[in-house]
Amino acid sequence: MKTDVMVIGAGPAGLSAALAANQGGAGVLLIERESRPGGILKQCIHDGFGIVRYNEKLSGPEYAFCDLEAVKSRNIEILKNTFVLDLKMKDSKFKLLLQNPDKGVFPVTATSLVAATGCRERTSRQVFIHGDRPAGIYSAGTAQNLINIHGYLPGRKCVVLGSGDIGMIMARRLTLEGAEVLGVYEIKSEVSGLTRNLVQCLEDFDIPLYLNSTVTKVHGARRVEGVTVAAVGPDYSPLFGTESYIPCDTLLLSVGLIPENDILEPLGLAMDTSTGGPIVDQQMMTTIPGLFSCGNATHVYDLVDHVSESGATAGSAAAGYCKKDCVQGEIEVKAGDNLLYAVPQRLVPGKDSVVYFRSARTMDNVLLQVEAGEKVLTNKKYIRLRPPEMERLVLEPLPAGLEKVVLSLKEAETDA
Amino acid sequence: MEGGLQLVKKTLQSKGFPQVELSERRGAVVLEGEVQNWDDYLAAGYGAVGYGFRGVVNNITVSGLKNCFTESRPAVKDLSLDSSEFDVVIVGGGIIGCAIARELSRWDLKIALLEKEDDIAKHTSSRNNGMIHPAMAVKLGSKKHHYNLRGNRMYDQVAGELGFELEWPGSLALLTKSWQILLGPLAKRSARKKGLHGVKVFSRRKVKDLEPNIGDEQRGAFYMPESGIVAPYKVTVAYAENAIQNGARLFMNTMVQGFVMEGSRIAGVRTNRGIIQAGLVVNAAGIWSDRIAEMAGDRFFTIHPRKGVIAILDKKTRNSQKLILGRAQLNGRSHTKGGGLTPLIDGNILVGPTATETPDREDYSTSAKELQFLEENHLPLNKALKKDDFITYFAGTRACTFEEDFIVEASKYVENLVHAAGIQSPGLASAPAIAVDVTDIAVSILKKKADIKANPNFNPRRLEAPNPGKLGLEDRNRLIAANPSYGRIICRCEMVSEGEVVDAIHATLPAHSIDAIKRRARAGMGRCQGGFCTPAVLNIISREINSDITEVCKREPGSEMIVGRTKDKARAGYEN
Ligand SMILES: Cc1cc2nc3c(=O)[nH]c(=O)nc-3n(C[C@H](O)[C@H](O)[C@H](O)COP(=O)(O)OP(=O)(O)OC[C@H]3O[C@@H](n4cnc5c(N)ncnc54)[C@H](O)[C@@H]3O)c2cc1C
Ligand SMILES: Cc1cc2nc3c(=O)[nH]c(=O)nc-3n(C[C@H](O)[C@H](O)[C@H](O)COP(=O)(O)OP(=O)(O)OC[C@H]3O[C@@H](n4cnc5c(N)ncnc54)[C@H](O)[C@@H]3O)c2cc1C
């Protein structure tokens, strides 16, 4: 099999990438490892999706449905239950070995590759939870899958560790499904998810939130019987004497998401350690020509509409690449003072670009500056920035010949 | 032995334990009394070694220490095995018990293996490094050395017959001081005496050529080519399945609780499923083997658990290292193999183990301190590794005696009891050889009473399900065409297909829990730790064994994963 553009992953990023590549005139093959397209949206049955892209508040499955209809209307081929077994480059083409139940193992050659593989959850092991190993410890996303896709209840008395968005959404979901959520424990001094979710999921349902505290131990030989929680000091280590035991049958973890790029790593592309994803330019092209990344595989977005936008950008640039109409970004974008990160990390001059960034901490009345050498290119004021809330910024085309632009946040002088 | 007791008394007095009372029982020295803490208990036990006794029975109590610790026991209680008769009853389904069952199945015998857990290999045999040691770190003249060397030499054949993966990457015992290289000739001579082949001394440059990521402080190494790796739980499963295929019976959730003695014979084995008539009993109960001996009135040794914590690294680290890396243990007095970094047969790297004494035999909890130790002590051996690469960690306990050696022998006082006890490290490496000897001992005892013939149907080859991941492209496609479920991958990290999970569920030794499937098919063992495949595996188990989703367990009954259907309570309340 041969194709111009091969898209891996049929979540919102992959679906819009496939659509855009098709609209750009390229032949497209879209593969998805699950039996249904839609990615993580399939299990996000709450609303709040699509305000930007579809101008209305949709649930996750509705949003995915809209995307899928568009893809279907253009007869784009989707191979489901399809896994990538191997990925190599040869003569500047992408050689993939795929497997599914219908075709067995088969090779595909693609001129351009879009990786829209989403992200995975950090596990209890990665946050170094200790104690017993009973049943009843779930990541919030797995619990969401069990409840929303299968109708299974993973527990009746739950403690949530971590205040990520999925954790807060699941705290509400479990409450609605008849389980008791005893509290959300967050090691940091503020929630790590969106303010919207804090209000709508925890406060509206009277679910207690405990900041500066964590779960130090799990108890139970077979099923979870309880957890020990404790307050933590500034270095996040538990404070002696603050431990207390909470009887429960389930521990849910919402402790972070990791962009999933394991299949790309053998190609030797440059990664950004602060996003966990590949380094890309504003066309979403990685440091390997013809290889694009979008959606949560690039960095973890907070809004699906922006995921789709990145997918569309990647898809149309991938189609352009097949027509030899795509150059690699060389201007470095540096996340300077008070920034957690900025994406893209490279820019092609002479083109518009959308830049996403997160602040390193919660800041009020700040000024974002984009500088090239001594010259300030853009200034923008923000009343409040929080790390969980991603900011989107449109940059004017840059002149050729620049080496580097720096984004930084400065606390504005407060008017006395 | 009067004189021996006097000497032990003196030693214990000088160590500060004048209160310990001594007696002799059937050639073993028995310690009684009370001490303040576990360290003292151990010190007293070790203090009694080396005065000509068969073993040390340490019955000292520790003030403040509760006597019963965590121990899992089967929940079932019935009479399903009552009055059943077997020629041989093996206690314990670890690598040792399962290998013995397979070797015994060469004979025309009715064999039963009893395991208290819901699956085999749930204790030490799945909680170890998976290394086939080269018999270098064991004392010449010890049983450990004897069985390690012989077991090591047997592994190629056993792997071929039973169809488990085995590799011989070789190991490096790293040296941090340049002068230690001068010990090379000594090490080589000792290796030759111990029967090892091909041991070499490598300079730092040579080590760096072989392992470019080697830590900076390493000055050289002893190289031992005869170091191998296996997946220990898969070896145990392979032995067990071949034993079953040759007629042995395995009974899970069946715990030995005592013996019915008739004079100096075991007549019956008391279990939670009734009393089993046994011609002969093999004690392969691992960490509990002293308790089984006690039940037969034949305890002449004491097991004191030594815990080891292990961490597993993400598969993407595997290319950063080829050989097994450890620090050379030059003082010869340390009771552990020191630990290090072991490449695994399934493509990860293993870090550890630690070695700490604990009174609690089945305490497999881990702590931040132990993880930190692994990170600081072992990770630096390979500069490409970082703490972020940890995907999981766990603990096991070694069944150590105070004599620090294996016990592989017929009981001296019970006619029909054979011990394979105190099998600490390198028990995995030694298992094939121990099983052969235990079988010889058992058969010679049984032959005294009856004529024992070879099993005419014995087949040394295990019949097993296909492994699509190991097949060539054409064979794999043929397999998928015939059964598409081998093409449907459900575990994204380890690339395990639905077909393989179904095979594990219906295998010779069926796997019906999430963890049992993990040990057979690897689904859930990867970097996402089951986050992705758990819902799918739950559904497949429920479908294949025809039980409700709320009955599917992580491990034994009581570890159910799903408590109900969404809104079930509310719905029930509404309908009432
Ligand atoms: C639990 C949760 C709740 C959220 N809630 C909201 C919300 O309320 N509002 C909002 O606006 N946004 C929300 N988001 C954000 C947004 O919905 C997601 O970030 C978005 O779905 C990400 O899209 P994606 O296409 O990048 O990834 P995904 O949706 O994860 O899709 C990736 C797809 O790629 C497939 N795939 C991966 N690897 C391979 C491979 N090797 N071969 C084949 N296929 C592969 C996967 O199976 C998957 O279908 C939420 C996100 C999560 C995780
Ligand atoms: C951290 C660590 C690392 C190690 N690394 C290595 C290595 O790299 N190489 C090596 O060669 N060795 C290694 N070892 C040692 C090796 O794992 C053991 O020697 C071996 O697994 C012992 O097997 P076993 O069958 O005797 O014990 P087990 O596997 O513990 O089996 C005993 C079984 O008996 C059952 N049982 C107990 N009491 C009863 C009862 N009353 N009724 C019914 N059943 C009962 C238990 O449930 C258990 O399943 C290591 C050990 C540890 C702890």
Side-chain angles (χ1 to χ4, degrees):
Chain A
M1 244 199 219
K2 270 201 171 79
T3 180
D4 296 332
V5 178
M6 158 104 177
V7 180
I8 307 178
L15 288 168
S16 62
L19 190 64
N22 170 285
Q23 286 164 340
V28 181
L29 177 64
L30 172 59
I31 66 157
E32 167 56 49
R33 63 185 176 193
E34 294 195 49
S35 56
R36 288 188 298 139
I40 208 74
L41 289 179
K42 297 195 294 290
Q43 64 185 56
C44 301
I45 62 171
H46 51 281
D47 73 353
F49 299 84
I51 300 156
V52 181
R53 187 168 162 90
Y54 292 111
N55 267 322
E56 59 178 320
K57 260 196 189 172
L58 302 171
S59 71
E62 287 168 333
Y63 186 104
F65 177 81
C66 295
D67 279 2
L68 200 58
E69 285 299 294
V71 165
K72 278 188 186 156
S73 73
R74 304 203 46 121
N75 293 320
I76 297 168
E77 185 175 8
I78 310 183
L79 291 178
K80 286 167 266 181
N81 292 311
T82 304
F83 265 77
V84 178
L85 297 183
D86 192 37
L87 167 60
K88 281 195 193 69
M89 288 210 72
K90 209 179 149 203
D91 308 327
S92 318
K93 301 257 179 188
F94 298 89
K95 302 272 181 191
L96 295 109
L97 202 58
L98 306 180
Q99 172 178 313
N100 68 31
D102 311 319
K103 297 180 184 240
V105 182
F106 57 100
V108 174
T109 303
T111 309
S112 171
L113 188 67
V114 181
T117 44
C119 58
R120 66 167 182 272
E121 295 179 278
R122 291 179 79 195
T123 67
S124 63
R125 295 288 170 269
Q126 287 172 305
V127 292
F128 297 98
I129 299 234
H130 293 282
D132 296 331
R133 303 293 177 82
I137 306 174
Y138 289 99
S139 66
T142 306
Q144 187 178 47
N145 182 291
L146 290 169
I147 294 177
N148 292 349
I149 305 269
H150 299 282
Y152 301 154
L153 199 59
R156 297 204 190 273
K157 248 181 135 172
C158 314
V159 165
V160 180
L161 174 62
S163 59
D165 287 309
I166 322 174
M168 294 197 283
I169 290 167
M170 286 315 293
R172 173 177 68 184
R173 188 89 197 103
L174 281 158
T175 308
L176 290 171
E177 290 302 342
E180 193 183 349
V181 179
L182 302 167
V184 174
Y185 291 81
E186 169 57 55
I187 197 164
K188 297 203 210 91
S189 51
E190 53 180 320
V191 288
S192 59
L194 301 172
T195 310
R196 184 181 81 191
N197 285 331
L198 171 65
V199 175
Q200 296 177 1
C201 298
L202 300 190
E203 290 173 3
D204 287 358
F205 287 81
D206 293 329
I207 297 167
L209 167 71
Y210 303 92
L211 297 172
N212 303 309
S213 46
T214 189
V215 169
T216 54
K217 214 170 169 183
V218 179
H219 308 264
R222 292 177 174 157
R223 176 81 198 192
V224 173
E225 286 161 18
V227 295
T228 303
V229 296
V232 299
D235 61 347
Y236 297 149
S237 62
L239 296 175
F240 183 75
T242 64
E243 298 94 349
S244 64
Y245 178 81
I246 303 180
C248 59
D249 66 9
T250 306
L251 174 65
L252 284 199
L253 287 121
S254 179
V255 288
L257 299 169
I258 307 168
E260 187 137 71
N261 290 290
D262 308 294
I263 54 168
L264 302 184
E265 273 175 36
L267 297 180
L269 75 174
M271 302 290 287
D272 181 339
T273 48
S274 44
T275 58
I279 289 177
V280 293
D281 60 25
Q282 78 265 51
Q283 317 155 97
M284 306 309 285
M285 185 147 86
T286 67
T287 52
I288 294 178
L291 177 61
F292 296 80
S293 170
C294 57
N296 278 354
T298 319
H299 62 124
V300 177
Y301 286 80
D302 57 350
L303 271 187
V304 72
D305 306 72
H306 296 154
V307 166
S308 298
E309 179 186 41
S310 78
T313 306
S316 62
Y321 177 85
C322 295
K323 294 186 236 155
K324 311 235 159 16
D325 178 21
C326 181
V327 291
Q328 210 164 13
E330 309 230 295
I331 304 169
E332 186 193 341
V333 179
K334 192 172 176 293
D337 291 347
N338 296 317
L339 257 75
L340 200 59
Y341 69 69
V343 175
Q345 299 88 340
R346 300 281 185 276
L347 289 173
V348 183
K351 279 184 184 239
D352 276 338
S353 50
V354 177
V355 176
Y356 288 100
F357 69 89
R358 288 177 196 269
S359 62
R361 58 192 167 90
T362 299
M363 297 173 82
D364 291 319
N365 297 319
V366 280
L367 188 67
L368 173 86
Q369 282 194 341
V370 184
E371 292 159 294
E374 300 288 286
K375 204 167 147 228
V376 176
L377 303 176
T378 309
N379 261 325
K380 193 171 173 188
K381 265 196 182 160
Y382 293 88
I383 296 171
R384 175 149 233 217
L385 288 178
R386 292 185 58 234
E389 266 137 78
M390 212 170 65
E391 292 301 328
R392 179 178 181 274
L393 179 79
V394 179
L395 276 192
E396 305 272 291
L398 294 179
L402 282 185
E403 214 171 87
K404 174 158 102 175
V405 296
V406 181
L407 272 69
S408 56
L409 288 169
K410 301 195 168 58
E411 231 121 4
E413 311 277 306
T414 37
D415 311 316
Chain B
M1 279 292 154
E2 259 323 287
L5 285 182
Q6 287 306 322
L7 291 173
V8 176
K9 185 93 201 158
K10 254 201 192 140
T11 305
L12 294 191
Q13 258 162 0
S14 74
K15 286 184 185 275
F17 310 117
Q19 77 279 29
V20 172
E21 309 247 349
L22 300 175
S23 60
E24 192 204 323
R25 191 169 170 271
R26 292 182 168 180
V29 53
V30 182
L31 278 52
E32 271 155 334
E34 192 178 86
V35 294
Q36 294 304 311
N37 55 47
W38 193 248
D39 284 344
D40 287 352
Y41 171 90
L42 295 170
Y46 279 117
V49 176
Y51 297 98
F53 293 98
R54 266 183 89 200
V56 176
V57 176
N58 192 344
N59 287 342
I60 296 175
T61 53
V62 179
S63 52
L65 198 72
K66 55 179 174 116
N67 268 332
C68 55
F69 293 104
T70 39
E71 187 201 352
S72 66
R73 291 162 187 268
V76 285
K77 209 173 149 84
D78 58 33
L79 290 174
S80 58
L81 291 175
D82 202 47
S83 308
S84 58
E85 282 176 41
F86 289 94
D87 298 315
V88 183
V89 168
I90 301 165
V91 190
I95 178 83
I96 300 298
C98 293
I100 292 170
R102 189 265 190 168
E103 290 307 315
L104 272 170
S105 72
R106 292 173 187 275
W107 297 90
D108 192 11
L109 293 168
K110 275 187 79 183
I111 301 161
L113 183 148
L114 312 183
E115 168 55 56
K116 70 183 172 86
E117 306 294 337
D118 65 308
D119 193 13
I120 59 166
K122 285 199 32 176
H123 290 278
T124 326
S125 297
S126 60
R127 302 168 173 278
N128 61 55
N129 277 38
M131 179 175 171
I132 310 304
H133 294 278
M136 182 67 179
V138 280
K139 216 163 67 200
L140 192 62
S142 65
K143 287 211 172 97
K144 273 189 187 171
H145 173 260
H146 173 77
Y147 286 114
N148 184 352
L149 187 66
R150 264 177 69 200
N152 179 301
R153 297 283 147 81
M154 290 170 70
Y155 255 95
D156 275 319
Q157 189 190 343
V158 176
E161 290 176 351
L162 300 182
F164 58 80
E165 289 167 83
L166 162 70
E167 279 173 31
W168 299 101
S171 60
L172 293 176
L174 296 162
L175 306 166
T176 35
K177 309 240 158 30
S178 301
W179 61 262
Q180 291 169 331
I181 297 196
L182 300 176
L183 300 174
L186 227 79
K188 277 163 100 172
R189 207 173 66 211
S190 152
R192 221 174 300 124
K193 273 204 206 148
K194 288 179 176 171
L196 278 73
H197 303 304
V199 173
K200 294 196 177 89
V201 182
F202 285 166
S203 65
R204 162 145 185 105
R205 239 188 58 207
K206 176 79 193 172
V207 171
K208 186 123 177 108
D209 281 349
L210 279 174
E211 295 286 11
N213 293 317
I214 199 77
D216 290 333
E217 78 280 14
Q218 307 307 332
R219 308 317 317 162
F222 301 143
Y223 167 66
M224 290 163 276
E226 295 166 310
S227 305
I229 51 173
V230 292
Y233 35 88
K234 287 193 187 165
V235 179
T236 310
V237 169
Y239 262 123
E241 291 198 336
N242 190 237
I244 296 171
Q245 287 160 0
N246 286 310
R249 307 271 313 268
L250 265 65
F251 300 99
M252 305 293 152
N253 300 309
T254 307
M255 182 171 190
V256 174
Q257 294 163 330
F259 295 114
V260 182
M261 302 297 296
E262 261 170 26
S264 61
R265 278 187 66 78
I266 297 176
V269 180
R270 270 184 226 281
T271 74
N272 53 319
R273 327 198 84 162
I275 297 177
I276 303 170
Q277 316 286 318
L280 182 131
V281 173
V282 176
N283 173 11
I287 202 80
W288 296 106
S289 51
D290 56 345
R291 194 174 57 180
I292 297 296
E294 175 85 47
M295 289 174 189
D298 190 38
R299 181 148 91 92
F300 59 93
F301 57 97
T302 307
I303 301 287
H304 58 92
R306 192 178 297 133
K307 181 165 163 179
V309 173
I310 285 171
I312 304 289
L313 304 183
D314 193 302
K315 277 190 171 174
K316 63 185 174 208
T317 60
R318 179 62 166 93
N319 288 332
S320 68
Q321 182 182 327
K322 292 185 213 60
L323 287 82
I324 301 165
L325 302 179
R327 288 196 171 79
Q329 303 285 307
L330 295 170
N331 64 12
R333 284 159 64 104
S334 145
H335 287 317
T336 76
K337 310 253 146 5
L341 302 170
T342 312
L344 296 181
I345 200 92
D346 286 305
N348 307 71
I349 290 179
L350 178 155
V351 192
T354 59
T356 41
E357 298 287 345
T358 162
D360 203 348
R361 297 185 182 206
E362 291 185 8
D363 171 17
Y364 300 135
S365 62
T366 54
S367 70
K369 220 174 79 195
E370 289 161 319
L371 265 280
Q372 193 184 346
F373 176 86
L374 293 182
E375 184 195 347
E376 288 169 3
N377 274 272
H378 298 321
L379 276 200
L381 295 179
N382 173 344
K383 287 197 288 187
L385 306 180
K386 29 185 211 321
K387 198 182 178 192
D388 278 355
D389 298 324
F390 283 28
I391 61 167
T392 188
Y393 41 87
F394 52 89
T397 47
R398 306 166 182 87
C400 304
T401 61
F402 288 107
E403 296 72 33
E404 297 286 350
D405 205 359
F406 297 162
I407 297 165
V408 182
E409 61 190 56
S411 162
K412 293 210 166 39
Y413 299 93
V414 181
E415 277 169 43
N416 57 345
L417 174 64
V418 183
H419 298 293
I423 312 294
Q424 54 159 300
S425 195
L428 173 69
S430 309
I434 293 177
V436 166
D437 273 17
V438 169
T439 298
D440 286 351
I441 298 170
V443 169
S444 70
I445 295 174
L446 289 166
K447 274 188 172 164
K448 287 183 199 159
K449 293 229 157 187
D451 185 23
I452 312 285
K453 293 198 197 56
N455 177 357
N457 302 320
F458 180 75
N459 180 0
R461 298 210 159 262
R462 175 172 62 131
L463 317 169
E464 48 173 339
N467 182 347
K470 296 278 179 262
L471 292 178
L473 212 77
E474 270 177 38
D475 289 336
R476 189 163 176 171
N477 276 338
R478 221 169 289 134
L479 183 72
I480 296 172
N483 180 352
S485 73
Y486 287 114
R488 188 174 305 119
I489 290 178
I490 54 130
C491 166
R492 69 174 169 199
C493 306
E494 301 291 317
M495 293 287 177
V496 182
S497 66
E498 175 170 9
E500 290 161 86
V501 172
V502 172
D503 285 343
I505 295 171
H506 299 302
T508 304
L509 189 67
H512 288 180
S513 67
I514 295 278
D515 280 6
I517 285 177
K518 188 163 132 181
R519 283 191 292 272
R520 311 292 197 287
R522 286 191 68 73
M525 275 211 179
R527 53 176 72 96
C528 91
Q529 289 288 296
F532 181 77
C533 67
T534 298
V537 176
L538 284 171
N539 279 332
I540 297 172
I541 298 177
S542 149
R543 180 189 75 206
E544 293 294 319
I545 66 172
N546 217 345
S547 65
D548 191 74
I549 196 78
T550 53
E551 290 162 12
V552 180
C553 290
K554 178 171 161 62
R555 298 190 295 256
E556 62 278 309
S559 65
E560 286 77 13
M561 299 280 291
I562 303 293
V563 301
R565 300 293 195 290
T566 45
K567 297 193 181 70
D568 52 0
K569 285 265 157 89
R571 215 175 276 139
Y574 182 73
E575 277 158 14
N576 283 340

